[in-house]
Amino acid sequence: MKPNMARFVVVVSLSAIVFFGLVGLESSWGQDQSPSIQVTQFKAHLDAAETAARAQDVAKVTEHVNAAVGVLEEILKATRKSDVPEIRAQHKRLVAAHRLLKNAKAKPEPLPQLKFNYVESDSKESDMSVKRVSFQATIAPLIAQKCGNCHVREARGNTSLASAADIAAHVFPGDSARSYLFEIVANNTMPPNNNKLTDEEKKTLKQWIDEGGQLDAGQTMFDLRPLVQPEPSANMAEVPRATESDTVFFSKDIAPLLAESCNGCHIAGNNLRGGLSVESYVRLMRGGDSGAIVVAGNPEESLLIKKLKGTADGQQMPINRPKWTAEQIELISTWIREGARFDALDPNQSVVSLAQRAAIQSMSVEQLQQRRAELLVKNWKLALVDQAYQQGQSEHFAWIAGDKVDSARIEQWIKIAEQEFRQRQEGLAVATDNAFAQGRISVFIPGSNYDYTEFAKMLSRREATGTLRGYWDQSLEGPYIVLSPSLTDEQIEENLSQWVGSAMVANIAPSLPSWFCDSVALALQEERRGRGRPATPPANPGSDSVPRWLEGRLDPATKQFLDQAAATAWKRQRQDLKKILAELQSGQPLESLLQARSGGTVTDFVKELLQ
């Protein structure tokens, strides 16, 4: 065996045997007696080593194993008896990791003998008297507030802080001085502009990292995205929304121009020129130090147009970039003349994301198919770093699966998916010129329940709970379905129809909300099949159930009830639904379509729909 291949096999063994094989170890965590800070750090380094093993980074694994050895040596000098079960459990992980590192020709520090020097709990009063920093109550809200729009809502600069697992990649447990996350906030590199952490907030973040940088007892995952609050719309009482009469749209026409010309100076810049950010529609309309730069309805009086033409004081914009052509300036002038209205779902969404969406919509069928095929493998490797796979495709689906998954089962599931697809084709009325809808829907089938859980966590940032191990979701490039090989025939029979239906609706236009996809899929489902019996009405859904449903924050039972209620309403309004689906495929935003029908907000439309 070649040295590089041998090294790879060792790393695979490290990932699959050391960490995955020991997940059943009993732990004392979550009991009334909290583990000491040092024990928390001990486990945190082994968890970090696991993450590094998934990335096949032997050097990083060695670094964290050596750090764990150092922490263990300190623990053994003065050990609380209540910590011993947890220490022994984590020590088994350390021994196995240490052994495999040596086999990989790495040089980990020697392991100390597991000999405890017991102390009474109250003799380490300093360890117990300091109130620990809670991740859920303190750190997660802090990161959501300071980093939410760039690194939680999105992954600006390929850096995501959307989950605890993402944050862990930038933290060295027990050592804030070696943690990149603390380094960039301590020296005020991040967050940019006037959103820096206060000295007290930096102190709190430092304490949490030095305590081990861990989740609260009993937690295994944490998603920060629900904590991100929309950016206030300054003095704008209400964002003006695009209408059917508009000829130029912010998301499709203006955002790509801003993303290309302004990035680095007025987008994602540490020191914004003139205090002006065009990061999003809201920020563009807010203006900079000199006030608003857009006067809705009057491009001639808009500072933005004057700066682009070079007729205002100071330098012509953009600086050190190609100047805008007369056609581009006329395009944005027309948008301002028509009212400078917004046409997408979230006015706080970055123009970079909107530009990416526009680029996807402009792709040909062949380009989109190629893009989805590349992402199929890329996302598999992202979530399941070293897992071998098999792949294939049918007329409407492209699948990738663990190499040990029964090929006959895969063939059976894809055949069922194709049947479900064909039965909805007519009702969905996909336009032949809709390139996005011609792209194949991706299907992921991880090789085991554990791989399925890891895949859901890494790609979709969702916790795999319960016995049903399957779901649909979407990225900007298109929808996908994830199935575990442990799904029974009954579960496939009961659920695959809905997953395929929702994915098909999501496949007619980028980034359609899940409530719309799920309810329309139910409406299109053939009634004669007898599936989807009415859900039991929730005992107390709450007055805010509709807004929370639209935001994806409802409990499953209430969500199912509203999905089916909306599906029934869509069936009563079949002709209007057909028009909405056709208009979506012509490039019109869903929010604008629904607002035009209600004369109010999307929430108003949905409430009327459900009546």
Side-chain angles (χ1 to χ4, degrees):
M1 183 179 294
K2 296 181 180 179
N4 288 343
M5 182 59 70
R7 182 182 180 86
F8 174 79
V9 170
V10 170
V11 174
V12 171
S13 301
L14 185 64
S15 176
I17 299 174
V18 177
F19 303 112
F20 307 161
L22 298 177
V23 294
L25 289 174
E26 294 186 2
S27 172
S28 64
W29 288 48
Q31 298 178 0
D32 293 339
Q33 178 67 62
S34 298
S36 69
I37 290 175
Q38 288 179 325
V39 176
T40 305
Q41 294 172 351
F42 184 38
K43 179 181 182 298
H45 279 297
L46 292 172
D47 291 343
E50 174 184 347
T51 301
R54 287 189 171 281
Q56 301 185 19
D57 190 338
V58 176
K60 208 69 173 173
V61 175
T62 305
E63 181 181 15
H64 283 291
V65 167
N66 287 342
V69 170
V71 174
L72 179 59
E73 289 174 342
E74 293 300 314
I75 291 173
L76 295 177
K77 293 177 182 178
T79 311
R80 297 188 314 176
K81 289 186 178 180
S82 59
D83 285 339
V84 170
E86 182 66 27
I87 295 169
R88 291 190 183 279
Q90 300 305 323
H91 183 258
K92 291 180 181 179
R93 298 175 71 195
L94 176 62
V95 170
H98 194 273
R99 182 183 304 118
L100 286 173
L101 278 176
K102 293 181 71 175
N103 290 340
K105 307 302 181 184
K107 297 180 179 180
E109 297 292 335
L111 291 177
Q113 183 180 359
L114 200 62
K115 184 177 180 180
F116 301 111
N117 180 26
Y118 293 114
V119 297
E120 295 298 326
S121 295
D122 58 7
S123 69
K124 294 191 70 180
E125 184 175 331
S126 61
D127 188 39
M128 298 302 297
S129 62
V130 177
K131 184 177 180 181
R132 296 194 186 181
V133 177
S134 164
F135 179 83
Q136 179 174 350
T138 305
I139 299 302
L142 175 62
I143 293 176
Q145 177 191 0
K146 298 292 185 176
C147 314
N149 287 323
C150 294
H151 300 293
V152 177
R153 191 192 299 273
E154 301 178 29
R156 195 72 53 81
N158 293 321
T159 300
S160 172
L161 301 176
S163 70
D166 293 329
I167 294 170
H170 306 286
V171 168
F172 196 87
D175 193 344
S176 56
R178 299 173 68 184
S179 296
Y180 179 68
L181 178 63
F182 183 71
E183 176 187 344
I184 60 174
V185 301
N187 63 19
N188 290 327
T189 301
M190 288 287 172
N193 309 320
N194 298 320
N195 202 30
K196 311 297 184 188
L197 271 67
T198 65
D199 290 342
E200 189 62 31
E201 288 169 336
K202 292 175 183 177
K203 180 180 177 181
T204 300
L205 178 61
K206 180 180 188 300
Q207 181 182 339
W208 174 71
I209 295 174
D210 289 339
E211 289 173 351
Q214 292 287 281
L215 294 176
D216 301 336
Q219 287 183 334
T220 56
M221 302 179 57
F222 196 91
D223 188 341
L224 281 72
R225 288 174 296 177
L227 301 180
V228 179
Q229 298 298 318
E231 190 174 5
S233 300
N235 297 322
M236 298 167 57
E238 185 175 342
V239 173
R241 299 290 176 169
T243 66
E244 294 180 355
S245 63
D246 290 338
T247 61
V248 180
F249 296 93
F250 184 83
S251 64
K252 182 177 69 174
D253 303 306
I254 307 306
L257 294 176
L258 296 175
E260 180 180 359
S261 295
C262 309
N263 205 15
C265 293
H266 300 288
I267 299 174
N270 288 333
N271 295 296
L272 297 175
R273 292 178 181 270
L276 172 65
S277 170
V278 299
E279 191 100 12
S280 65
Y281 172 85
V282 166
R283 293 191 176 188
L284 170 68
M285 299 303 289
R286 180 185 300 162
D289 294 341
S290 59
I293 63 170
V294 172
V295 180
N298 194 340
E300 290 75 18
E301 293 301 318
S302 297
L303 180 59
L304 174 60
I305 301 301
K306 294 178 180 179
K307 296 295 285 186
L308 291 172
K309 290 182 174 180
T311 59
D313 293 338
Q315 293 178 289
Q316 183 179 1
M317 294 293 155
I319 300 174
N320 299 324
R321 301 277 177 89
K323 304 305 180 191
W324 285 32
T325 65
E327 290 77 12
Q328 290 172 327
I329 294 176
E330 179 57 29
L331 189 69
I332 196 168
S333 296
T334 301
W335 173 71
I336 294 174
R337 189 176 299 113
E338 292 178 344
R341 291 186 278 259
F342 187 71
D343 60 299
L345 291 176
D346 182 4
N348 293 292
Q349 186 176 0
S350 79
V351 296
V352 174
S353 295
L354 292 172
Q356 291 172 341
R357 184 177 187 268
I360 292 294
Q361 288 181 300
S362 67
M363 285 184 178
S364 67
V365 175
E366 293 74 18
Q367 290 172 325
L368 188 67
Q369 293 280 34
Q370 178 63 28
R371 174 66 174 160
R372 290 188 182 180
E374 292 170 354
L375 286 175
L376 186 74
V377 176
K378 180 180 178 180
N379 287 333
W380 177 276
K381 291 182 176 180
L382 174 68
L384 301 174
V385 176
D386 48 26
Q387 302 298 308
Y389 60 87
Q390 52 183 313
Q391 63 182 120
Q393 63 184 36
S394 62
E395 183 178 359
H396 299 107
F397 298 89
W399 58 267
I400 186 168
D403 65 333
K404 304 299 184 188
V405 179
D406 184 4
S407 58
R409 246 190 142 204
I410 297 174
E411 183 179 351
Q412 176 192 0
W413 289 355
I414 297 300
K415 182 178 179 180
I416 294 173
E418 286 288 356
Q419 292 171 349
E420 297 291 348
F421 192 101
R422 286 191 290 272
Q423 288 170 352
R424 281 187 177 84
Q425 268 183 307
E426 184 176 352
L428 201 55
V430 176
T432 56
D433 61 348
N434 183 348
F436 189 79
Q438 306 305 321
R440 291 186 178 88
I441 296 171
S442 299
V443 180
F444 297 92
I445 311 176
S448 67
N449 278 343
Y450 186 83
D451 286 344
Y452 166 84
T453 300
E454 289 299 301
F455 191 91
K457 188 188 306 181
M458 292 295 293
L459 183 64
S460 310
R461 292 192 174 88
R462 65 166 67 200
E463 187 169 3
T465 58
T467 58
L468 182 60
R469 296 185 172 272
Y471 61 91
W472 83 274
D473 208 332
Q474 61 183 319
S475 65
L476 182 64
E477 288 80 4
Y480 60 90
I481 298 171
V482 183
L483 306 172
S484 167
S486 67
L487 285 166
T488 65
D489 292 341
E490 290 75 18
Q491 288 174 323
I492 287 292
E493 175 72 16
E494 183 70 22
N495 297 283
L496 187 56
S497 173
Q498 177 62 31
W499 295 333
V500 169
S502 297
M504 287 180 66
V505 178
N507 205 35
I508 67 173
S511 306
L512 293 177
S514 60
W515 71 266
F516 180 80
C517 299
D518 290 336
S519 62
V520 171
L522 282 170
L524 296 176
Q525 192 165 278
E526 291 185 272
E527 296 178 4
R528 66 176 178 79
R529 304 187 65 178
R531 291 185 186 165
R533 58 183 180 277
T536 303
N540 183 21
S543 59
D544 63 342
S545 59
V546 169
R548 288 190 293 119
W549 177 52
L550 301 182
E551 295 168 5
R553 296 189 293 112
L554 271 186
D555 62 275
T558 308
K559 178 188 181 308
Q560 182 184 15
F561 175 75
L562 288 179
D563 284 346
Q564 293 186 350
T568 301
W570 287 126
K571 289 178 182 179
R572 292 196 302 265
Q573 302 183 27
R574 287 184 185 275
Q575 294 305 314
D576 194 37
L577 176 59
K578 286 184 178 180
K579 291 180 181 178
I580 290 174
L581 295 174
E583 290 166 346
L584 283 172
Q585 295 183 71
S586 70
Q588 298 185 54
L590 177 64
E591 186 171 9
S592 299
L593 296 175
L594 301 187
Q595 286 176 331
R597 284 164 167 79
S598 70
T601 66
V602 173
T603 301
D604 294 333
F605 173 87
V606 173
K607 287 181 176 178
E608 292 175 10
L609 179 72
L610 295 175
Q611 288 179 354

